[in-house]
Amino acid sequence: MTTAMVEARGVRKNFGVIEILKGIDLRVEKGSVTCLIGPSGSGKTTFLRCINHLEKVDAGRLYVDEHLVGYAERNGKLYEMKERQTARSRLNAGMVFQRFNLFPHMTVLENIIEAPVHVLGRPRREVVVEAQALLDRVGLGNRGHSYPQELSGGQQQRIAIARALAMKPKLMLFDEPTSALDPELVGEVLDVMKSLAEAGMTMVVVTHELGFARQVADQVVFMDGGVVVESGPPEDVLDNPQQERTKAFLSKVL
Amino acid sequence: MHSSREVTAVQKQPSVPGTREPATASGDSIPVVPLKHPVRLVLAVVLILVALSAAWDVAVNQRYHWDVVVSYLFAPQILAGAGLTLVLTVVSMTVGIALGTVLAIMRLSDNPILSTISRAYIWFFRGTPLLVQLIFWYNIAALYPVIAFGLPFGGPSVVLGSANVLISPLGAALLGLSLNEAAYMAEIIRGGIGSVDKGQYDAARALGMSGGKLMNRVILPQAMRVVLPPTGNQVISMLKGTSLVSVLAISDLLYSAQIIYANNYQTIPLLIVASLWYLLMTTVLSFFQNKLERRYGRGFDSAPRRIRKPKTRTA
């Protein structure tokens, strides 16, 4: 058995008195694609953000590449990490957001080279070459000097993917990457994600694109009310769900 | 009616294949008659006439003593005063903006000690009159004759010198103006930081940024767009507000003019001289404000201001 890229054990998260995650157990194998599906408010996005420690886990353990996220474990106690350490530990995972969140004051190329140059301290010249290759890979090789606002949503999201990849992450997290896009632009983003999956990238994708999940995912996880209701290969979860809640959700979505 | 129909036709035009740039649209397009504004034109003519006649009236009015205005416009005292006003403005604003930025970040910090310090600072310096603050710094020697660094409760200390020597009238003016300005700038910058989309923090954090890097590279450059217009206001009001330092017997522009008219009783002409210089300086400063706004508007405003054209790469 391969080691897990992400392993969650009883992960809990509250916002004030509201419990968003009520004990999530989940394994994401290296090189696999996991799609998180479920109704809004089910905690999918929160869980994804926990993997990157953009949200603090309140209870349970969450490991990324065998490292505990956000905490250091010593003598049976968990010590909260300093912000700088947390920032370092985030480098394992690249993240793509629903609303792209490109830096609007930088050109596309500057967006991509920003973190490799200013966080990793790598030589700019070298990074620019890689960035250009990434732009070509997402099919936007000639848009390096545009500003994000001049691009369509689909193009912006592909840039956002390139920006995350520039940090050479071991894991890519996608938070509803196509939900803010016009329907005709969804395909171009999914195509980039598919090619990424084919190249062996470990991916966790929160999505409503069940077609994508069926085609690309190794594991589909249906979440509702802060718990994992059902998980397994797409043909099981999507085509032959065992739980009533999953059936009800799928019947409404399909 | 007629013109509106033509406009509708033009709006459809970009969808015609092959006419990607409407400006260079070829022969098959429908001619456009732009909307006319006859009232605007008449109004403009009337206003120009009114303005000219008013200007003529002022120019020929002997009681303005334009000859005196001209003779003092480049008087050494006036020039020195204008120079000093500019120095006071530039230094106070620079210090004010730098300190204000720090205060704004402290105010927004999760650290309760830092945010409380910032709050207290802003509360105090905005809450007391600038004039009082200036006089306070000017008279600091009366309260603390000697300035020294040392341990509290009478511990050992290093004497830096007499307060009267260390804090000259000009020093007192700069201290007063800078510290006061920092409080106002802090609030302006806090507003600017607050205007930046929260998703930008997520994106920057996800890329491994934190603390100063996140602020300097991602948040502050975007906040600038919101911060600049009110900062322009602050600069201009500082330029004129520096005239308050005349209470410290510093001969800034207005004070220099006052000294002259106290002797020759040409009050109005000398105030006109001072005003002309203030106008010139605010005009120049507004010009720079415009430049900066363009610089930091990049990527936010739509098309025409693109700095570099997209290159087609062969690599």
Side-chain angles (χ1 to χ4, degrees), chain A residues 49 52 54 83-84 87-88 90-91 93 95 97 99 101-107 109-110 114-115 118-119 132 136 141-142 145-147 149-150 163-164 167, chain B residues 197-211 213-214 217-219 221-222 296 298-303 306-313 315:
Chain A
R49 290 170 65 87
N52 213 358
L54 287 176
E83 201 197 330
R84 192 172 289 267
R88 282 278 140 190
R90 285 195 186 108
L91 297 182
M95 189 154 183
F97 300 89
R99 289 177 50 244
N101 298 352
L102 292 174
F103 303 134
H105 58 300
M106 299 179 189
T107 63
L109 195 69
E110 286 166 349
E114 175 65 25
H118 290 102
V119 176
Q132 191 55 49
D136 292 336
N142 59 347
H145 296 286
S146 306
Y147 281 91
Q149 201 211 16
E150 298 163 4
R163 179 176 69 173
M167 295 297 277
Chain B
D197 179 35
K198 296 290 164 280
Q200 294 290 309
Y201 290 87
D202 282 348
R205 289 209 176 100
L207 288 167
M209 294 190 181
S210 62
K213 211 166 275 168
L214 190 152
R217 304 280 321 164
V218 177
I219 305 301
Q222 294 183 59
Y296 284 98
R298 249 194 257 164
F300 288 92
D301 309 310
S302 38
R306 182 181 297 168
I307 306 297
R308 282 169 290 188
K309 283 184 179 161
K311 289 178 197 160
T312 34
R313 292 238 172 185

Side-chain angles (χ1 to χ4, degrees), chain B residues 115 234 249:
Chain B
S115 73
Q234 290 297 109

Side-chain angles (χ1 to χ4, degrees), chain B residues 2 11 59 69 103 110 161-163 196 216 224 252 259 300 315:
Chain B
H2 197 73
Q11 278 168 343
V69 171
L103 284 165
D110 289 334
S162 145
V196 177
N216 289 328
M224 283 298 273
D252 74 304
I259 292 171
F300 288 92

Side-chain angles (χ1 to χ4, degrees), chain B residues 101-241:
Chain B
T101 309
V102 174
L103 284 165
I105 293 171
M106 282 168 67
R107 170 96 196 249
L108 292 167
S109 156
D110 289 334
N111 184 330
I113 298 170
L114 293 182
S115 73
T116 307
I117 293 172
S118 173
R119 253 170 224 272
Y121 181 99
I122 293 166
W123 168 77
F124 183 81
F125 281 93
R126 283 200 313 178
T128 52
L130 175 57
L131 188 61
V132 174
Q133 290 173 29
L134 285 169
I135 294 172
F136 173 87
W137 290 113
Y138 186 62
N139 291 310
I140 192 88
L143 297 167
Y144 303 97
V146 172
I147 293 180
F149 274 125
L151 297 174
F153 309 117
S157 65
V158 180
V159 175
L160 292 180
S162 145
N164 256 333
V165 178
L166 284 175
I167 301 180
S168 61
L170 185 63
L174 287 173
L175 258 177
L177 292 173
S178 305
L179 296 184
N180 185 264
E181 188 57 32
Y184 286 93
M185 282 310 301
E187 288 294 274
I188 290 173
I189 293 167
R190 182 171 70 99
I193 292 174
S195 75
V196 177
D197 179 35
K198 296 290 164 280
Q200 294 290 309
Y201 290 87
D202 282 348
R205 289 209 176 100
L207 288 167
M209 294 190 181
S210 62
K213 211 166 275 168
L214 190 152
M215 268 292 154
N216 289 328
R217 304 280 321 164
V218 177
I219 305 301
L220 288 178
Q222 294 183 59
M224 283 298 273
R225 208 170 51 96
V226 177
V227 165
L228 275 173
T231 304
N233 259 350
Q234 290 297 109
V235 173
I236 285 170
S237 86
M238 171 67 85
L239 185 81
K240 291 177 293 181

Side-chain angles (χ1 to χ4, degrees), chain A residues 140-205:
Chain A
L140 292 167
N142 59 347
R143 300 315 296 268
H145 296 286
S146 306
Y147 281 91
Q149 201 211 16
E150 298 163 4
L151 305 177
S152 75
Q155 290 173 327
Q156 289 192 49
Q157 194 61 297
R158 280 144 68 194
I159 300 297
I161 294 173
R163 179 176 69 173
L165 289 175
M167 295 297 277
K168 300 185 175 149
K170 297 173 182 167
L171 165 70
M172 284 285 285
L173 307 172
F174 293 84
D175 183 10
E176 302 197 25
T178 57
S179 299
L181 297 178
D182 291 344
E184 59 188 326
L185 303 178
V186 168
E188 61 189 64
V189 172
L190 292 182
D191 285 344
V192 170
M193 291 168 64
K194 270 178 215 163
S195 72
L196 206 55
E198 280 158 17
M201 175 62 79
T202 312
M203 294 164 55
V204 181
V205 186

